[in-house]
C-alpha cells in the first residue's frame, strides 16, 4: 500500500514509518520540520536501507500540498501532523486551532479531490471527559479541558461527518494515551529543545544534568500518591498499532475508534522510581502547582483494540524507561 504519513519525521511518525516499511508498505512523508529534524530522515534511510520519498511542506499551503497527490498514487493517509503540547495550547489556543484544524481540512479536501478514501487519525485520550469511572472505554462521554484536546475532538467530528456523507470513506481513529520510550536501536526518540512539556523527556534531561530537577505538577490529586496518573505506552507498541489498524479498513463499519494504551496507570512518582531502577540514576524533583488543563487520572480500557485489531502492547515500563535513556545518552 502507498501510505502518506503526515508529520512522519516526528516522534510517533518516525517509528510508524519503520513499522510500515517493515510490513512491506511504500511510504511518502510530509513534514515541515517544525518539531522534527531532517536528521531523522537520514537515519530512517540508513536504518531501513531505503530512499524514502520526502516533502518538506507546510500543510497550510494547499497548492504545495497538492503536489504530493499529483505525483503519487496515495492509497491511505496516516495523519500525525499537528501541535501537541497541552500546556502551550492553554496559553496559545488560536495557534492550535489555526494549525491543527486548517492543515487537516486541507488534507481532507485533497483526499476527497483525489479519491483517497482511507485515513488513520492520530487522536488523543484528552478527548475524554474526566471520569471517576476507570478505565476509559471508547464509548465514554467526551469533553475536553484544553484547546489541544478540543482540536483533536473537532477533527474527529469532521472525519466522522465525512464518513457519514460517503460510505466509501473509511476512518480509523486511534486515541493514544501517553507514548514514551524510544526505538531500541537508539536512533529514534523524542527530541525536545528547551524545557520539555512531557514527563519522560523532562526526566531524561534531568538525568543528563541539563535541568537541575524535575518539576512535579501537583501532588494533591485524588490518586495513589497524589501525583497525576497516566497510561504510558512504548512508542514502538504505539507505532505497531497503526499496522494493526489498517485491517479495520476491511470492517463493515466505515468509522472505527480505538483506545491505544496498556490498560494500566502509572503515577509521576512511579515513573521516576522505574526510571531510577532502569538506569541507576537518581532524579531530584520539586513539587510545584498543578498545570492548567491537566486532570488527575486516566488510563485505557484496551479490550476493543485487543479483540478487533489483535493489538496488545508488548513492552513494559522498565523497557520504556531504559529505551528513552538509551536514545538520549546516545545523542552525545
Amino acid at each position: 500500500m502507498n501510505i502518506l504519513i503526515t508529520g512522519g519525521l516526528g516522534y510517533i511518525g518516525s517509528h510508524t514509518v519503520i513499522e510500515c516499511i517493515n510490513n512491506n508498505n511504500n511510504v511518502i512523508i510530509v513534514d515541515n520540520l517544525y518539531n522534527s529534524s531532517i536528521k531523522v530522515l537520514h537515519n530512517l534511510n540508513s536504518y531501513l536501507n531505503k530512499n524514502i520519498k520526502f516533502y518538506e511542506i507546510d500543510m497550510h499551503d494547499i497548492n504545495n500540498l497538492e503536489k504530493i497527490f499529483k505525483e503519487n498514487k496515495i492509497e491511505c493517509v496516516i495523519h500525525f501532523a499537528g501541535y501537541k503540547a497541552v500546556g502551550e495550547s492553554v496559553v496559545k489556543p488560536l495557534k492550535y486551532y489555526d494549525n491543527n484544524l486548517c492543515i487537516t481540512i486541507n488534507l481532507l479536501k485533497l483526499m476527497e479531490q483525489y479519491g483517497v478514501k482511507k485515513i488513520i487519525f492520530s487522536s488523543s485520550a484528552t478527548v475524554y471527559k474526566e471520569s471517576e469511572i476507570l478505565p476509559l472505554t471508547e464509548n465514554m462521554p467526551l469533553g475536553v479541558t484544553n484547546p489541544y484536546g478540543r482540536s483533536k475532538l473537532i477533527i474527529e467530528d469532521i472525519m466522522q461527518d465525512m464518513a457519514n456523507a460517503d460510505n466509501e470513506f473509511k476512518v480509523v481513529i486511534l486515541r493514544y494515551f501517553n507514548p514514551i520510550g524510544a526505538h531500541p536501536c537508539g536512533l529514534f526518540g523524542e527530541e525536545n529543545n528547551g524545557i520539555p512539556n512531557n514527563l519522560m523527556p523532562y526526566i531524561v534531561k534531568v538525568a543528563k544534568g541539563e535541568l537541575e530537577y524535575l518539576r512535579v505538577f501537583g501532588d494533591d490529586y485524588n490518586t495513589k500518591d497524589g501525583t497525576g496518573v497516566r497510561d504510558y505506552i512504548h512508542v514502538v507498541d504505539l507505532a505497531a498499532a497503526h499496522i494493526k489498524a489498517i485491517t479495520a479498513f476491511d470492517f463493515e463499519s466505515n468509522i472505527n475508534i480505538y483506545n491505544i494504551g496498556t490498560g494500566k496507570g502509572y503515577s509521576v512518582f512511579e515513573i521516576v522510581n522505574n526510571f531510577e531502577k532502569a538506569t541507576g540514576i537518581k532524579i531530584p524533583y520539586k513539587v510545584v502547582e498543578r498545570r492548567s488543563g491537566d486532570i488527575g487520572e486516566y488510563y485505557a480500557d484496551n479490550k476493543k483494540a485487543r479483540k478487533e485489531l489483535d493489538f496488545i502492547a508488548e513492552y513494559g515500563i522498565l523497557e520504556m524507561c531504559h529505551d528513552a535513556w538509551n536514545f538520549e545518552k546516545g545523542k552525545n
Side-chain angles (χ1 to χ4, degrees), residues 198-255:
N198 298 325
L199 177 61
M200 185 57 72
Y202 208 125
I203 288 174
V204 296
K205 280 188 175 288
V206 174
K208 285 185 80 173
E210 294 178 10
L211 294 172
E212 186 180 353
Y213 57 86
L214 171 69
R215 290 187 297 167
V216 177
F217 294 102
D219 64 352
D220 56 352
Y221 287 103
N222 185 25
T223 60
K224 60 185 89 174
D225 59 22
T227 65
V229 171
R230 300 290 183 267
D231 186 337
Y232 294 93
I233 182 169
H234 197 294
V235 66
V236 172
D237 279 329
L238 179 58
H242 294 78
I243 304 302
K244 299 284 191 178
I246 290 172
T247 63
F249 292 134
D250 295 327
F251 296 169
E252 186 175 345
S253 172
N254 61 335
I255 305 168

Side-chain angles (χ1 to χ4, degrees), residues 49-152:
N49 194 26
K50 294 279 185 181
N51 187 20
I52 302 168
K53 189 175 281 191
F54 169 66
Y55 293 82
E56 184 180 345
I57 289 173
D58 186 330
M59 292 172 63
H60 279 96
D61 184 349
I62 193 168
N63 293 325
N64 215 4
L65 186 61
E66 187 177 5
K67 287 195 311 187
I68 302 174
F69 288 83
K70 285 180 177 176
E71 295 174 6
N72 303 276
K73 184 172 175 51
I74 306 299
E75 297 172 83
C76 169
V77 176
I78 302 179
H79 182 34
F80 294 108
Y83 296 153
K84 63 177 185 177
V86 169
E88 184 186 45
S89 79
V90 174
V91 178
K92 300 177 179 178
L94 277 180
K95 175 180 178 179
Y96 276 68
Y97 293 130
D98 174 65
N99 187 74
N100 294 2
L101 299 182
C102 291
I103 66 173
T104 302
I105 289 169
N106 282 347
L107 176 67
L108 292 171
K109 283 180 179 177
L110 291 169
M111 288 179 65
E112 187 173 61
Q113 182 179 338
Y114 284 85
V116 181
K117 300 286 190 177
K118 296 174 181 176
I119 187 165
I120 298 171
F121 175 52
S122 158
S123 192
S124 166
T126 57
V127 301
Y128 291 113
K129 188 175 288 185
E130 188 168 9
S131 174
E132 294 180 2
I133 301 171
L134 293 168
L136 296 168
T137 64
E138 287 84 353
N139 58 6
M140 279 191 163
L142 304 178
V144 294
T145 59
N146 56 75
Y148 162 74
R150 188 166 290 109
S151 74
K152 291 290 190 184

Side-chain angles (χ1 to χ4, degrees), residues 178-197:
N178 290 67
I180 59 174
H183 199 277
C185 74
L187 291 173
F188 309 98
E190 188 166 10
E191 296 276 6
N192 278 278
N193 298 318
I195 298 177
N197 290 293

Side-chain angles (χ1 to χ4, degrees), residues 276-288:
E276 292 177 344
K277 185 177 178 181
T279 65
I281 300 170
K282 189 73 177 170
I283 302 298
Y285 65 86
K286 289 185 181 179
V287 176
V288 298

Side-chain angles (χ1 to χ4, degrees), residues 266-279:
Y266 289 93
S267 73
V268 173
F269 288 155
E270 285 177 323
I271 294 295
V272 170
N273 291 338
N274 275 283
F275 185 89
E276 292 177 344
K277 185 177 178 181
T279 65

